[in-house]
Amino acid sequence: MERADLIVIGSGQGGIPLAADFAQAGRNVVLFERDVLGGSCINYGCTPSKAFLAAAHAAGRARQAENLGIHAQIRVDFPAVMQRVRSIRDSFNQSVRKRLEDAGVKIVFAEASFTGERIVTGGEVTVLAPIIVINTGTSSLIPNIPGLAKTPYLTNRSFFELKQLPPRALVIGGGYIGLELGQGLARLGSQTQIIVRGDRVLDREESEVGETLVKALERDAIEVHFNTKVEQVAYTDGSFTLTLDRQDKLQAEALLVATGRKPNTQTLNASATGVELDERGYIKIDDHFHTTCDGVYAIGDVAGQPAFTHVSWEDYRRLKAILSGEERKRSDRVLGYAVYTEPQVGRVGMSLEQAQQKGINARCVTLQMSQIARAIEWGHDLGFYRMVIDNDTDKILGATLVGYEAAEIVHVFMAIIEAGITWYLLEQSVHIHPTYGEALPSLARLLIDNNTL
């Protein structure tokens, strides 16, 4: 049995820098990875999906430019699109390996599991360490639909291996993965339909967010089936047939399943080291990332954290500080995130409903994109900006932005909320005309007008 100063299980975006930093500081570090280095972000998440959407949204904008008087003929070279996606992914993956090796991290390519208290075994290697960090992430949650398992359905993991554009595509799931990739396929020329069990897409967001995105999807000729359950899946002669609960049938050459995530803890044997899981299989941690076993920590979405790369990376920064004796917590941050449909969704902090549920005396103001000069001029008039404030302190509690490049604009709110500044700063600011950012002071000025839309 080997001994190390640090064991990292999983090479996600939090585990990689932590392992590298410890190794560069002269510590003996062993990293176990059962698959490819870089975790979901690099291999089948952020990196390939955004490279894919770069092409898809370019095609979509060109088609919709007819509203500006521009009539273009679009020819999509789908194999070239996907080859570019994979080349970027592979380049990033190789960079991760070089970083770890240059730092002196010992990489063990094997599935790791606990075989004792703070003892990890993977392949032929068994290691004991006083500090262990679990960063194994999540994977696709596949619904138990009769016939599905026997078909070559896609998940976000296998999606980027597509070589040819499917003439027709079906997507099960109305979350951000299903919407992003579904809209992407449609914009590249695939006839796409999305199946949603409930009555909303992005059902964790405010209802207006989903309503706006459905309008955008319809502009791309995407049909969305609400309150629909898939009863049966069959695959013959290169075509999927989905039988719905109302006995309707849908057919397509590709099927993407995007119905949620599950934690990668099934093979960890966490109980061998005294690490407890919750009822869904996520690792239980406290506000300092500590599990129920002394010396064992968990970061990222395997611990029930929001499934975003920037969250995992910030987990790394906080855990590194904690291990160095600093007083940091996983809750000492302002969380923002985005959905990369078009229009984009940018979110930070609380919605009005969330604030009121916490007993906060809150209100919100809303400005439609159709009232913003730049949006009208550029033809991006679908969406809205919304800000939530605390009436008692005048501090900004959250913001929901739906519009062109909303993922960039929302950072203004993130900085203001982090600084604890009131909405008066935004109201007094002079932003450049004509820009999308110019609308943020206008949004704040609605509070002066007592216009609580």
Side-chain angles (χ1 to χ4, degrees):
M1 181 168 61
E2 300 181 20
R3 292 181 180 272
D5 298 310
L6 170 68
I7 297 172
V8 177
I9 306 175
S11 61
Q13 296 305 296
I16 292 168
L18 191 68
D21 286 358
F22 267 68
Q24 287 173 333
R27 307 287 185 85
N28 182 8
V29 180
V30 178
L31 182 145
F32 289 88
E33 175 54 64
R34 67 178 182 179
D35 197 358
V36 287
L37 293 170
S40 63
C41 176
I42 287 178
N43 296 293
Y44 40 89
C46 317
T47 298
S49 68
K50 302 320 171 272
F52 171 76
L53 291 176
H57 291 327
R61 291 166 191 161
R63 287 194 182 91
Q64 293 183 359
E66 62 183 22
N67 296 325
L68 306 177
I70 306 299
H71 301 278
Q73 291 184 336
I74 308 302
R75 185 182 68 85
V76 174
D77 185 345
F78 190 79
V81 168
M82 300 307 287
Q83 181 55 41
R84 174 180 178 272
V85 169
R86 289 188 288 270
S87 67
I88 294 173
R89 175 196 65 187
D90 295 345
S91 173
F92 282 25
N93 176 272
Q94 292 165 11
S95 296
V96 169
R97 181 162 191 161
K98 185 176 188 303
R99 178 182 182 182
L100 291 171
E101 291 177 342
D102 288 351
V105 176
K106 178 178 179 178
I107 306 171
V108 179
F109 287 100
E111 186 162 69
S113 62
F114 288 97
T115 51
E117 188 169 317
R118 289 182 295 280
I119 300 174
V120 179
T121 298
E124 302 298 320
V125 179
T126 297
V127 187
L128 168 67
I131 302 174
I132 299 175
V133 178
I134 304 170
N135 184 216
T136 52
T138 59
S139 54
S140 299
L141 177 64
I142 306 302
N144 186 24
I145 302 174
L148 177 63
K150 299 179 181 179
T151 69
Y153 64 87
L154 299 169
T155 66
N156 70 304
R157 185 180 179 89
S158 56
F159 180 89
F160 303 105
E161 302 307 318
L162 283 174
K163 302 296 193 300
Q164 300 295 328
L165 177 70
R168 300 171 297 175
L170 297 171
V171 179
I172 303 177
Y176 72 94
I177 294 176
L179 297 190
E180 288 182 2
L181 299 184
Q183 187 183 41
L185 283 172
R187 290 189 149 201
L188 291 172
S190 184
Q191 183 182 333
T192 305
Q193 300 183 67
I194 299 176
I195 303 162
V196 184
R197 289 200 63 167
D199 58 0
R200 293 164 54 183
V201 298
L202 295 184
D203 58 4
R204 295 184 181 181
E205 304 296 337
E206 298 163 275
S207 60
E208 294 93 333
V209 174
E211 291 166 4
T212 302
L213 291 187
V214 168
K215 291 179 182 178
L217 297 176
E218 290 173 345
R219 289 183 179 182
D220 288 316
I222 297 172
E223 185 175 358
V224 183
H225 302 270
F226 289 106
N227 299 307
T228 301
K229 180 181 178 182
V230 179
E231 299 281 5
Q232 179 81 33
V233 178
Y235 182 78
T236 55
D237 300 325
S239 178
F240 290 87
T241 300
L242 273 59
T243 302
L244 309 182
D245 52 356
R246 52 180 178 265
Q247 297 307 305
D248 293 340
K249 293 183 184 296
L250 301 177
Q251 291 187 317
E253 286 71 34
L255 171 63
L256 171 64
V257 178
T259 51
R261 311 291 292 174
K262 64 179 180 180
N264 292 327
T265 55
Q266 300 92 332
T267 60
L268 271 179
N269 193 27
S271 61
T273 193
V275 169
E276 294 182 8
L277 310 179
D278 68 14
E279 64 280 359
R280 297 183 299 162
Y282 290 93
I283 297 174
K284 293 182 179 180
I285 59 172
D286 62 17
D287 209 23
H288 295 90
F289 306 98
H290 207 217
T291 70
T292 52
C293 176
D294 187 36
V296 180
Y297 300 84
I299 59 177
D301 46 344
V302 72
Q305 301 267 71
F308 306 117
T309 291
H310 53 283
V311 172
S312 184
W313 196 81
E314 283 297 324
D315 285 355
Y316 137 72
R317 296 207 317 141
R318 281 156 178 74
L319 180 56
K320 181 183 175 182
I322 290 168
L323 293 174
S324 299
E326 297 180 33
E327 180 53 40
R328 295 298 302 270
K329 298 179 180 179
R330 67 187 179 104
S331 58
D332 67 348
R333 57 187 165 195
V334 176
L335 176 62
Y337 56 92
V339 180
Y340 293 89
T341 48
E342 192 149 286
Q344 292 178 358
V345 180
R347 281 280 290 114
V348 62
M350 291 182 281
S351 66
L352 178 62
E353 182 180 1
Q354 290 169 334
Q356 291 174 339
Q357 287 175 348
K358 291 180 176 290
I360 300 174
N361 177 22
R363 62 170 166 156
C364 72
V365 285
T366 303
L367 182 66
Q368 299 296 326
M369 292 293 289
S370 58
Q371 297 176 271
I372 300 172
R374 175 72 180 277
I376 297 170
E377 294 157 359
W378 282 56
H380 298 149
D381 57 352
L382 184 60
F384 62 90
Y385 290 172
R386 177 169 295 157
M387 176 174 63
V388 180
I389 67 157
D390 185 331
N391 280 320
D392 297 331
T393 66
D394 289 323
K395 290 185 177 181
I396 299 174
L397 299 174
T400 299
L401 310 182
V402 184
Y404 185 73
E405 294 296 345
E408 305 293 338
I409 307 296
V410 76
H411 286 89
V412 175
F413 286 104
M414 293 176 68
I416 291 176
I417 296 173
E418 186 75 50
I421 299 171
T422 71
W423 62 269
Y424 290 106
L425 175 71
L426 195 57
E427 185 276 327
Q428 294 165 7
S429 299
V430 180
H431 287 195
I432 298 168
H433 174 80
T435 63
Y436 294 101
E438 176 190 27
L440 302 187
S442 299
L443 179 65
R445 288 165 194 151
L446 293 175
L447 293 165
I448 296 177
D449 298 334
N450 294 317
N451 187 351
T452 55
L453 294 178

